[in-house]
Amino acid sequence: MVEPTDRSSTAGQRLGAPESFGVSTLEPGLRPPTQPPGKLVSIRVQMLDDTQEVFQISQRSPGKVLFDLVCAHLNLTEGDYFGLEYQDQRKMTVWLDLLKPTLKQIRRPKNTILRFVVKFFPPDHTQLMEELTRYLFALQIKHDLACGRLICNDTSAALMVSHIIQSEIGDFDDTQSWQHLLHNKYLPDQDAIRDKITDCHRKHVGQTPAESDYQLLEIARRLEMYGIRLHPAKDREGIKLNLAVAHTGVLVFQGYTKINAFNWSKIRKLSFKRKRFLIKLRADPNSHHDTLEFAMASRDCCKIFWKICVEYHAFFRLFEEPKPKPKPILFTRGSSFRFSGRTQKQIIDYVKDSELKKVPFERKHSKILSMPPQSSSFKSHIPSSGDSPLGSPHVVVNGNGPVNDQVMGSPSVLGPGQSPERQQLSPLTSPLLTEAGYVRNDDEDEARRKKFPTDKAYFIAKELLTTERTYLKDLQVITESFQSIVGKDEAFPDPVKNLISANYDPVYKFHQGFLKEVEQRLAQWEGRSNAHIKGDYQRIGDVLLKNIQGLRQLTIHLQKHSECLVELERACRTSRKVETLCREFEQQRVCYLPFNIFLLRPLHRLLHYKLILERLCKHYPPTHDDFRDCRAALADISEMVLQLQGTMMKMENFQKLLELKKDLTGIDGLVIPGREFIRLGCLSKLSGKGLQQRMFFLFSDSLIYTSRGMTPSNQFKVHGQLPLYGMTIRESEEEWGVPHSFTLFGQRQSVVVAASCAAEMERWVEDIRLAIDLAEQSSSPDTDLLSSSLSENSKSYQYRTLQEMEDELCSSRSSLERQGHRGNTTVHVCWHRNTSVSMVDFSVAVENQLSGNLLRKFKNSNGWQKLWVVFTNFSLFFYKSHQDDYPLASLPLLGYSVTVPSESENIHKDYVFKLHFKSHVYYFRSESEYTFERWMEVIRSATCSASRSLPSTRKDLY
C-alpha cells in the first residue's frame, strides 16, 4: 500500500480505508471524531481501572464514534485490540458493533453501562508496542484472575499477583504488603496462598510498574486459559462442552481442559443454523466427515459466538480489513456482519512506521502515577527471562502444567533397581554414559549458554539443524546400511535394488550439502568462525530458499518413493528369502524403527520444513530482512506438500497396515486396496469369565479383537471379527454395571466392551461410528479377514522381542541392547499401558519429530548428563552424540504424562520438564525457552495428556 505524503491525514486514511469502514483513525493529540448532527445522548463506559466515564454522542452516531471517543480519552494508539461490551435486553453479553448506530443496539442508554475491555488477545505480548496498551492488558489479566476466569495453578497465580502488587505499591515491605493483601482481593482463594504471594513479592525489588506489566503478561500468555472466553455447548452425543476462539482458531474445552483445536488453516467455513454451530473443515482424505456440529443454548448464543469467531479470524489472519459485501438486488441471504477495524498486521505496521510521541498516563492503582516521557524504548530496560528477579522460565512455565498440579511422590528416575551403587545398570546410566566427560558442569553450561544468540529465530534455525542431522542419519539407514546388506545377496531382486538406489541416493547426496550449509550458517550466527556475526549471517531464510528450490528438482525421485515401498513389499511377499533378509536387517541396532518408516522419511521431511518456515514467518515482522526469503521458501514447500500429500497419506496407511500384519497372527489379506486403518488399543471384553483384556484393531470395514499369543515374537492372536456393515452401538454402563462400557451389535454377534476411562471410551465410540459410516458406503459388506487355517502362522514374521512390561522397560539392560528390539512396537506398548492410538495420532506423530541435546538428571545427585535425544514414533531414543549410528536406549511415551516439576521436587533449574508414569519419573532439561516449549509440545502429542479425541482433525499445521 502506498502511503500518502499528506501529514495531516489520519491513520485510517493513510491505510487507504474509506471513512465509513469503521477503521480506528485516532492518534494521540487529535480531536475527537466528527459526529453527525442530532440530539446528544450520554453513554456511561466503565474502564479497565474500574473508573466510569460519560461520553456524549449523537443519536445517529455509529458504534465507531463512541469507541473512538473512548480511545481518544485514553490517548490509546493500539485501540483495535479492545472493544466495548454490554448486556442487551436478553441479558446476554455482546460486543458493540462499530458499523451500526449505537442507539439501535443499546435500547436503554440510561440504564446500560458499557465495559471497555480487551477483545483480541495476541499470542505474544511483545507484539503490543505501547506501554499504555500493555498496562491495559495487565489490568484485564488482573480482572480475569479476580473473577476466576483465568484458571491456573497456585504457583502461577501467586507469581502474577506479586507482579500486580509490585506495580501498585512498589518494593516489598512486610507490614504494608500484608495490609495491602488483606484489603484487596486479587484471587477468589487468595488467603490460601498469601504467604506464597509475599515470598514472590520480596524478589521484585527495584522492578518498575512497566516491568511488572511485562512480567505479568509473560506469565499469563503461557496459561491455557489466557484470553479464553467459554461458550457452553454440547456435542452430537449430548456431552457438555465449551467452545472458545483464539488467534489460532476454534477451541473445544471439557470443563477447563482443552480437548481439541480446529486451526484456521483447516477450517473452510463457520456457520450456524438455529442453535446448531457448524464447523466445516477443508477436504482431507484421512477424515471421515468434514462437518462438526455443536448444539448451543439458542440461536442468539450461536450467532454471538459466530460473530466473535469471524472477527478473530479477520483480526489475526487477514492483512487488511475485509471489504463490505455488495448489497443484494432482490433479497438477502445470510448475515451481512463483518469485521470492522484495523487488523493486527495493520496496527503493528502503523505503530512501527509512525513516530508517535509517548504520552504520560495515569496508573489509577499505583503509587507511581505516570510513566516518564523518555521511556520510548520499553524493551531496552526489560530484563530477559534469565535475568529477572523471579522471572526465571522455570517458574513462569508452571502455567503450562495442569490445573492444581499435584506433587508426585518421591521421584524415582528410570524405575527400580537404581540405587546409587547400581546406577550403571539403567538404560540411561550405562558405563558408556556415566564417564565424567559426559556429565556437564552446571557452571560451564550456564557460561556456554550466555555466549550464544538468544533470538527465537536462532533457536528455530537450530531446530532445523538438529532435525536435519537426524534425517540424514535416517537416510543413511537406506542408502548405506540396507544397501550394503542387499547388495551382497543374490536373492534380492536387482530391479528393486536399483529402484531404491536410484531414488534415495540423489536425495541423500543433496541433503549432505544442505546440512553442511546449515551447519556453516549456524556456526557464523553463533560467532564461532572468522566471519562477521552481524547482518547477513543472523538469518536462515536464504539457505532454506536456495535448498528448497533445489529440492524441487528432486520431486520426481520423491514421487517414486511410494513405488519403492510397494515393490519392496511385493518382493518380500513373493520370496521367503527376501522377506527373511529384510526382517534380519530390522533386527540390527541401526534400524531402530520398522524399516518401512525410513522409506517414508523424505516425504515426511517436507512437512517439517513447512512447519519450521511457518514458525519463522510467524516470528518475523514483515519488515525483517529474512521474512521475504522465508515466505518465498514457505510458498515453494507448501506447493510441494500439496503436490505430494495424497501420495504421502496413502503410503502412511499402507505402511501402517504392513506393520500391523507383522503383529497379528491368524489373519488373511490384511493389506488390500481401499482398507484404512483407524485405531488400535486395549478394551476389556465381557464374557462368561468376566472382563478380559483384549487388543482391538479397527479398520474401515471391520473390527477385530485379539489377545497376546505365546509365539516367539509375542504376536497377537485373532479371536474374532466384527464386520462393521450394519453394526450399531449402544452405551450400556447401566445395563451391565461396568464403567465406560458399550455394546456393539453386529449382524452375526454382539459384544460388550469397556474402556479404561471415559475419554478412551469416547475415542473408540467416535471412531467406530465413523468406521460404520465408511463401511455403509463400501461395495463389499461382508469382508472376511480371518484365515481359514492357522498353518499360515508358520509364514508370519518371526522377529524376536522382549516382554515389554513396565518394569522391564526400566530394567538393567536397555531394550535396544538386546536382540529383537522390534518387539517394542506401538501395539505392545498400548497393550501394557492399556491405552490406544489412532491413525490421526500416527499422522500427527509424523510431524511432531524433534532432535537435540537434553540434560537428564540423575536420581540421587545434582548432576546432569548430556544426551542426544531423538523423539519419533511416540518414543524418545537416547544417544551419546548426534554422530552415533544407533541409540543406546529408548523410552516409549504412550501413557506417560509430561509436566513441569513442582517446587517441592527441588529442581532449581530453568527449562526442566518431567515425564512420569505410575512410579517412574524422569527429569530432562533443555537449553532455552523455545526448545523447552518445543519438547513439551511434541512429547504431549505422544502422551496421555495429549487430546486425541474428535479424530476428524488430522493435523495441526498452523
Side-chain angles (χ1 to χ4, degrees):
M1 249 175 287
V2 179
E3 188 172 303
T5 56
D6 181 10
R7 287 284 177 187
S8 64
S9 62
T10 65
Q13 290 166 342
R14 287 198 293 274
L15 288 169
E19 192 163 333
S20 63
F21 273 18
V23 176
S24 286
T25 58
L26 293 172
E27 299 179 31
L30 291 184
R31 288 179 294 179
T34 304
Q35 300 199 39
K39 183 181 176 181
L40 294 180
V41 179
S42 296
I43 303 288
R44 282 187 296 164
V45 177
Q46 181 163 317
M47 303 297 188
L48 278 162
D49 59 8
D50 295 326
T51 61
Q52 286 189 11
E53 301 290 340
V54 178
F55 297 92
Q56 303 284 328
I57 63 167
S58 166
Q59 284 183 325
R60 291 188 291 164
S61 294
K64 170 185 178 297
V65 170
L66 175 60
F67 181 74
D68 285 355
L69 282 170
V70 176
C71 291
H73 169 75
L74 293 170
N75 280 323
L76 179 61
T77 306
E78 299 172 292
D80 301 83
Y81 286 103
F82 301 83
L84 292 167
E85 66 176 11
Y86 65 97
Q87 275 199 339
D88 64 9
Q89 65 273 17
R90 303 159 299 180
K91 300 297 182 184
M92 302 181 75
T93 301
V94 295
W95 293 101
L96 184 71
D97 191 321
L98 301 187
L99 298 181
K100 292 182 179 179
T102 301
L103 294 188
K104 282 193 175 181
Q105 303 176 68
I106 305 171
R107 302 293 184 182
R108 304 174 65 192
K110 288 184 180 179
N111 301 320
T112 302
I113 299 176
L114 287 86
R115 293 181 299 275
F116 180 79
V117 294
V118 175
K119 187 174 186 179
F120 301 111
F121 289 82
D124 189 349
H125 58 92
T126 59
Q127 294 172 332
L128 306 175
M129 312 300 286
E130 298 288 306
E131 182 182 335
L132 171 60
T133 314
R134 288 189 291 269
Y135 168 60
L136 294 175
F137 265 75
L139 291 178
Q140 183 68 63
I141 298 303
K142 178 182 171 183
H143 275 278
D144 289 352
L145 280 170
C147 72
R149 178 184 278 168
L150 184 56
I151 304 294
C152 60
N153 60 37
D154 289 348
T155 302
S156 297
L159 189 53
M160 286 191 284
V161 171
S162 71
H163 285 300
I164 295 171
I165 297 173
Q166 176 71 21
S167 171
E168 293 183 355
I169 68 173
D171 291 345
F172 177 80
D173 175 86
D174 207 344
T175 303
Q176 183 189 22
S177 300
W178 193 256
Q179 288 294 323
H180 191 77
L181 277 171
L182 284 175
H183 292 96
N184 293 275
K185 196 76 169 176
Y186 297 101
L187 296 167
D189 54 350
Q190 180 172 295
D191 293 344
I193 60 169
R194 193 181 300 165
D195 292 338
K196 217 171 201 177
I197 295 170
T198 55
D199 288 343
C200 293
H201 186 198
R202 278 191 184 91
K203 301 174 183 178
H204 302 330
V205 175
Q207 187 170 288
T208 67
E211 291 169 337
S212 296
D213 291 345
Y214 188 94
Q215 297 293 353
L216 173 66
L217 296 178
E218 177 67 23
I219 301 165
R221 75 181 180 92
R222 300 168 184 276
L223 301 175
E224 188 163 77
M225 296 300 293
Y226 168 67
I228 295 300
R229 305 295 183 252
L230 298 176
H231 297 255
K234 293 181 180 179
D235 66 8
R236 288 179 176 176
E237 280 72 47
I239 296 173
K240 291 183 179 180
L241 302 170
N242 288 303
L243 300 181
V245 62
H247 69 282
T248 54
V250 180
L251 313 177
V252 183
F253 286 79
Q254 199 162 40
Y256 296 109
T257 302
K258 184 171 69 175
I259 63 171
N260 219 319
F262 304 101
N263 287 42
W264 296 126
S265 59
K266 294 295 181 187
I267 295 175
R268 180 168 58 88
K269 184 179 181 181
L270 294 174
S271 61
F272 63 96
K273 187 174 182 180
R274 296 186 179 89
K275 65 178 184 178
R276 291 182 296 138
F277 184 79
L278 305 173
I279 302 175
K280 295 185 179 180
L281 303 173
R282 298 191 186 280
D284 187 341
N286 205 47
S287 294
H288 306 295
H289 58 239
D290 65 350
T291 302
L292 298 163
E293 182 180 307
F294 300 90
M296 304 188 84
S298 66
R299 180 186 182 277
D300 291 335
C301 292
C302 267
K303 189 170 184 178
I304 288 169
F305 183 60
W306 174 78
K307 280 185 173 182
I308 188 61
C309 288
V310 169
E311 293 186 305
Y312 249 83
H313 175 267
F315 184 78
F316 286 108
R317 296 281 286 185
L318 302 186
F319 281 3
E320 58 186 28
E321 180 191 12
K323 299 293 187 290
K325 295 179 180 178
K327 290 186 178 180
I329 299 173
L330 296 176
F331 57 88
T332 61
R333 183 178 180 183
S335 174
S336 62
F337 175 78
R338 65 182 178 81
F339 169 75
S340 62
R342 290 182 294 189
T343 64
Q344 186 188 34
K345 182 182 184 300
Q346 287 178 307
I347 299 171
I348 292 172
D349 290 348
Y350 170 66
V351 176
K352 283 182 178 178
D353 295 342
S354 304
E355 295 181 3
L356 299 173
K357 182 180 178 181
K358 304 295 178 181
V359 181
F361 63 88
E362 183 179 2
R363 292 173 175 268
K364 286 289 193 301
H365 301 284
S366 178
K367 286 183 174 181
I368 306 170
L369 295 181
S370 64
M371 71 171 214
Q374 66 269 21
S375 299
S376 58
S377 178
F378 177 65
K379 288 186 182 178
S380 63
H381 61 269
I382 289 297
S384 64
S385 295
D387 299 329
S388 61
L390 198 62
S392 68
H394 166 231
V395 178
V396 169
V397 295
N398 277 331
N400 280 338
V403 179
N404 300 324
D405 190 17
Q406 295 182 354
V407 179
M408 296 289 293
S410 57
S412 61
V413 182
L414 289 173
Q418 289 194 44
S419 58
E421 67 272 14
R422 295 187 64 192
Q423 278 188 347
Q424 72 276 9
L425 298 180
S426 163
L428 295 187
T429 53
S430 64
L432 288 174
L433 296 180
T434 53
E435 297 172 5
Y438 295 108
V439 179
R440 177 171 294 282
N441 179 280
D442 290 335
D443 294 335
E444 291 175 4
D445 185 54
E446 294 299 327
R448 171 190 160 275
R449 189 183 299 173
K450 290 179 181 178
K451 290 180 183 178
F452 289 160
T454 57
D455 179 38
K456 184 177 179 179
Y458 163 75
F459 291 110
I460 298 174
K462 192 167 183 181
E463 180 181 334
L464 171 67
L465 170 65
T466 56
T467 52
E468 189 72 11
R469 283 172 172 165
T470 295
Y471 173 52
L472 205 65
K473 282 288 183 184
D474 287 350
L475 287 178
Q476 276 183 317
V477 174
I478 304 169
T479 58
E480 295 182 5
S481 305
F482 182 71
Q483 291 194 44
S484 67
I485 295 292
V486 301
K488 302 171 186 174
D489 197 296
E490 295 179 357
F492 198 90
D494 286 336
V496 180
K497 191 187 309 179
N498 295 336
L499 182 67
I500 293 174
S501 176
N503 290 292
Y504 282 90
D505 290 356
V507 176
Y508 175 63
K509 186 176 181 181
F510 170 81
H511 284 279
Q512 281 182 306
F514 187 6
L515 175 60
K516 193 170 184 179
E517 287 187 43
V518 175
E519 286 176 333
Q520 288 172 347
R521 176 56 54 87
L522 265 292
Q524 292 164 342
W525 202 332
E526 293 167 354
R528 292 185 305 205
S529 69
N530 294 326
H532 298 293
I533 62 171
K534 299 293 182 185
D536 286 345
Y537 294 117
Q538 293 186 328
R539 59 181 183 145
I540 197 65
D542 57 327
V543 176
L544 276 163
L545 179 59
K546 173 193 167 187
N547 283 280
I548 284 172
Q549 288 173 342
L551 189 57
R552 294 186 70 173
Q553 308 304 313
L554 298 174
T555 302
I556 189 169
H557 296 298
L558 298 176
Q559 289 171 330
K560 288 278 190 180
H561 288 178
S562 60
E563 186 182 340
C564 293
L565 180 60
V566 171
E567 291 302 319
L568 180 60
E569 170 57 20
R570 182 174 288 127
C572 290
R573 197 169 62 245
T574 55
S575 169
R576 179 73 178 275
K577 194 167 184 181
V578 172
E579 177 191 35
T580 303
L581 182 70
C582 290
R583 303 314 156 215
E584 287 178 351
F585 176 73
E586 281 196 322
Q587 300 308 309
Q588 297 191 13
R589 290 188 292 183
V590 70
C591 190
Y592 66 101
L593 297 170
F595 181 66
N596 287 339
I597 291 180
F598 292 101
L599 294 175
L600 295 179
R601 278 293 198 247
L603 294 176
H604 295 160
R605 187 60 176 156
L606 301 181
L607 296 173
H608 304 161
Y609 294 141
K610 185 173 184 286
L611 290 168
I612 285 169
L613 281 161
E614 284 176 335
R615 289 191 197 101
L616 285 167
C617 289
K618 187 177 178 183
H619 167 68
Y620 285 136
T623 53
H624 195 281
D625 292 341
D626 209 21
F627 180 78
R628 181 177 295 178
D629 285 342
C630 286
R631 187 169 58 178
L634 177 58
D636 284 347
I637 199 67
S638 298
E639 185 180 336
M640 288 185 69
V641 168
L642 193 62
Q643 183 181 355
L644 293 165
Q645 193 158 25
T647 299
M648 189 187 313
M649 293 168 66
K650 287 178 182 176
M651 288 303 102
E652 284 177 11
N653 183 67
F654 181 57
Q655 184 273 328
K656 184 50 58 184
L657 292 175
L658 293 178
E659 192 175 331
L660 293 178
K661 183 180 172 184
K662 304 173 195 174
D663 285 312
L664 294 169
T665 181
I667 194 166
D668 273 341
L670 182 63
V671 185
I672 62 170
R675 174 170 293 141
E676 294 182 35
F677 162 71
I678 298 176
R679 180 175 289 277
L680 65 85
C682 273
L683 291 170
S684 295
K685 180 177 174 290
L686 189 62
S687 68
K689 298 179 181 178
L691 287 172
Q692 294 183 309
Q693 183 181 0
R694 292 288 180 259
M695 195 73 180
F696 281 74
F697 297 82
L698 177 62
F699 303 98
S700 56
D701 55 353
S702 63
L703 176 69
I704 64 173
Y705 53 95
T706 68
S707 63
R708 200 171 71 156
M710 302 306 292
T711 65
S713 54
N714 287 330
Q715 287 171 296
F716 285 84
K717 180 182 177 182
V718 176
H719 282 255
Q721 172 192 0
L722 297 170
L724 296 178
Y725 188 85
M727 180 183 283
T728 57
I729 305 177
R730 185 179 74 209
E731 295 184 20
S732 52
E733 185 169 330
E734 294 180 2
E735 181 180 349
W736 296 101
V738 178
H740 321 306
S741 64
F742 54 97
T743 304
L744 302 171
F745 295 94
Q747 290 183 335
R748 301 175 188 170
Q749 66 178 119
S750 62
V751 296
V752 179
V753 294
S756 58
C757 63
E760 274 291 295
M761 175 180 150
E762 288 171 15
R763 291 166 191 148
W764 274 107
V765 169
E766 178 76 10
D767 278 2
I768 292 172
R769 284 193 170 128
L770 292 172
I772 291 171
D773 291 342
L774 287 177
E776 296 290 341
Q777 301 164 14
S778 172
S779 58
S780 53
D782 207 15
T783 306
D784 194 356
L785 283 170
L786 302 187
S787 62
S788 56
S789 170
L790 293 182
S791 63
E792 291 294 313
N793 291 353
S794 61
K795 297 181 181 179
S796 61
Y797 303 107
Q798 301 294 320
Y799 58 14
R800 301 172 63 191
T801 185
L802 69 142
Q803 297 291 323
E804 205 261 356
M805 297 300 290
E806 191 58 39
D807 287 344
E808 295 175 18
L809 274 177
C810 305
S811 63
S812 61
R813 294 181 64 195
S814 165
S815 62
L816 294 185
E817 291 177 329
R818 304 181 182 190
Q819 285 187 335
H821 58 275
R822 279 293 71 73
N824 200 9
T825 66
T826 304
V827 177
H828 287 84
V829 177
C830 285
W831 172 264
H832 289 292
R833 294 183 184 161
N834 203 16
T835 187
S836 69
V837 291
S838 70
M839 192 62 211
V840 177
D841 301 323
F842 284 109
S843 297
V844 170
V846 160
E847 295 171 14
N848 287 323
Q849 296 181 25
L850 196 60
S851 309
N853 286 310
L854 285 176
L855 298 177
R856 176 241 158 183
K857 186 182 182 300
F858 290 117
K859 179 181 177 183
N860 295 314
S861 76
N862 292 323
W864 292 81
Q865 178 185 29
K866 184 180 178 182
L867 297 166
W868 175 260
V869 184
V870 173
F871 172 82
T872 187
N873 209 38
F874 307 113
S875 299
L876 293 176
F877 295 90
F878 302 96
Y879 304 73
K880 276 198 302 182
S881 78
H882 69 85
Q883 297 168 330
D884 290 356
D885 290 329
Y886 55 84
L888 296 167
S890 70
L891 180 64
L893 294 178
L894 288 170
Y896 269 74
S897 294
V898 58
T899 60
V900 293
S902 61
E903 288 186 357
S904 63
E905 291 170 275
N906 296 319
I907 308 293
H908 302 298
K909 294 295 176 184
D910 298 340
Y911 317 126
V912 176
F913 59 89
K914 177 175 75 172
L915 289 168
H916 52 96
F917 174 75
K918 295 184 178 178
S919 63
H920 308 288
V921 182
Y922 309 85
Y923 298 98
F924 295 100
R925 180 173 153 208
S926 52
E927 66 173 344
S928 69
E929 181 180 357
Y930 172 79
T931 52
F932 169 85
E933 290 175 347
R934 286 290 293 132
W935 280 107
M936 290 284 281
E937 178 185 348
V938 299
I939 289 174
R940 275 183 174 144
S941 72
T943 61
C944 62
S945 61
S947 169
R948 295 196 290 270
S949 61
L950 292 176
S952 55
T953 55
R954 177 177 184 260
K955 297 174 182 173
D956 182 358
L957 289 175
Y958 179 61

